[in-house]
Amino acid sequence: MLFAFVCKDKPGSLQVRLDTRPEHVAFLEGLNADKKLAFAGPFLNADGKPNGSLVVVEAPDLAAAQALSAADPYAKAGLFESVEIRAWNWTFNKPAAS
């Protein structure tokens, strides 16, 4: 089952994001290698600076998705003001199964 993490950064936390980005990218690369990552990327503010994240993962249930979200280095660094985790159904433009 797919789960979307809709993450909003705390105000004034761009430096936390930048400082933690290498560990966050390595974490996502690990999820990707384990075939748990569907896609991910930052939300941008009006100035084009990142201010949140959208991460979609494959997990067996909500508890497993919550565990993945909590393991993200951004979450561990306290970057996020809020994280909403929702089950999601990829309906249109889904890549063909490999």
Side-chain angles (χ1 to χ4, degrees), residues 49-96:
K49 304 281 189 213
N51 66 353
S53 298
L54 173 62
V55 178
V56 178
V57 300
E58 179 78 35
D61 53 37
L62 180 59
Q66 290 169 327
L68 288 175
S69 175
D72 186 327
Y74 279 169
K76 290 180 176 183
L79 173 63
F80 300 131
E81 176 178 271
S82 64
V83 177
E84 182 179 6
I85 301 174
R86 300 189 60 185
W88 186 70
N89 185 23
W90 196 337
T91 305
F92 290 97
N93 296 328
K94 183 176 181 180

Side-chain angles (χ1 to χ4, degrees), residues 14-30 71-74 77 79:
L14 180 58
Q15 193 60 51
V16 173
R17 176 179 276 276
L18 296 175
D19 291 346
T20 313
R21 188 173 189 280
E23 296 96 309
H24 169 73
V25 169
F27 173 75
L28 293 180
E29 288 172 344
D72 186 327
Y74 279 169
L79 173 63

Side-chain angles (χ1 to χ4, degrees), residues 36-54:
K36 293 180 181 177
L37 180 66
F39 58 87
F43 290 112
L44 305 175
N45 66 17
D47 296 327
K49 304 281 189 213
N51 66 353
S53 298
L54 173 62

